[in-house]
């Protein structure tokens, strides 16, 4: 009888360890995926800024990139998803804030921006689906509030939307 209790305790400890490890792996995969999408967004923004006619060039760039990436990697790289990646970068980087400063205000603004964006990148704690929702919130303070609360309370995307819709 004592042996069975010890085995149950051992079993519970092993199950707990395996569940924690699984959660850590899922979190690491999610963080890597979101960070990768953030970097793709950065690359798209930088390429578009080098283009001649931004709007038209941007549309063609995303269509071509989408086609090539879907052929190489399968689904997941629609034009809409690439636009979301670009928006993720725009929303979560200080690049946009710094680049909005007039070039006359800071000499060599391009090199300053380049140095900042190479050294600073956000830490993503939520899933891509969470960020798809969050990047649509225009107010940065409101977005930060919901991001923090989602991470702290481990909200699903459905719960995040519910909390947002009820104006927490």
């Amino acid at each position: 009888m004592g042996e069975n209790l010890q085995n149950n305790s051992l079993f519970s400890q092993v199950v707990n360890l395996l569940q924690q490890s699984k959660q850590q792996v899922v979190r690491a995969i999610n963080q890597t995926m979101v960070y990768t999408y953030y970097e793709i967004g950065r690359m798209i923004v930088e390429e578009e800024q080098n283009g001649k006619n931004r709007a038209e060039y941007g549309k063609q760039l995303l269509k071509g990139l989408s086609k090539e990436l879907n052929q190489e990697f399968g689904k997941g790289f629609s034009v809409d998803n690439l636009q979301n990646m670009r928006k993720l970068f725009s929303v979560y980087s200080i690049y946009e804030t710094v680049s909005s400063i007039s070039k006359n205000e800071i000499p060599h603004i391009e090199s300053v921006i380049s140095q900042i964006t190479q050294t600073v990148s956000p830490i993503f704690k939520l899933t891509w689906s969470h960020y798809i929702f969050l990047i649509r919130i225009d107010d940065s303070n409101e977005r930060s509030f919901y991001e923090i609360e989602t991470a702290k309370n481990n909200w699903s995307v459905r719960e995040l939307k519910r909390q947002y819709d009820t104006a927490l």
Side-chain angles (χ1 to χ4, degrees), residues 6-16:
Q6 287 177 335
N7 286 343
N8 282 341
S9 175
L10 174 63
F11 176 75
S12 294
Q13 289 173 344
V14 169
V15 166
N16 188 36

Side-chain angles (χ1 to χ4, degrees), residues 142 145-146 149-150 153 155 159-168:
E142 186 177 18
F145 170 79
Y146 283 103
E149 289 299 311
T150 299
N153 296 302
W155 289 343
E159 181 64 15
L160 168 60
K161 287 179 181 178
R162 190 182 75 71
Q163 294 289 350
Y164 180 80
D165 290 340
T166 58
L168 173 68

Side-chain angles (χ1 to χ4, degrees), residues 9-102:
S9 175
L10 174 63
F11 176 75
S12 294
Q13 289 173 344
V14 169
V15 166
N16 188 36
L17 177 63
L18 289 171
Q19 287 174 338
Q20 287 175 355
S21 296
K22 184 178 175 182
Q23 287 174 343
Q24 286 178 328
V25 168
V26 168
R27 262 189 245 109
I29 289 169
N30 280 325
Q31 285 178 330
T32 302
M33 187 174 87
V34 174
Y35 179 75
T36 300
Y37 289 169
Y38 171 85
E39 283 298 311
I40 291 170
R42 180 188 59 76
M43 292 175 192
I44 291 169
V45 166
E46 288 178 357
E47 178 64 26
E48 285 177 334
Q49 289 179 348
N50 291 331
K52 304 280 186 236
N53 181 349
R54 269 196 197 167
E56 191 56 38
Y57 178 75
K59 286 179 192 175
Q60 295 308 314
L61 174 72
L62 292 182
K63 283 181 185 176
L65 187 58
S66 173
K67 182 180 176 186
E68 296 293 323
L69 289 173
N70 281 317
Q71 285 176 352
E72 180 76 22
F73 296 103
K75 292 181 179 180
F77 296 97
S78 66
V79 171
D80 287 344
N81 214 15
L82 292 173
Q83 288 172 332
N84 286 331
M85 293 174 201
R86 180 178 59 196
K87 175 98 175 183
L88 179 74
F89 174 75
S90 296
V91 166
Y92 281 92
S93 70
I94 60 168
Y95 185 84
E96 186 175 52
T97 305
V98 174
S99 64
S100 66
I101 298 170
S102 167

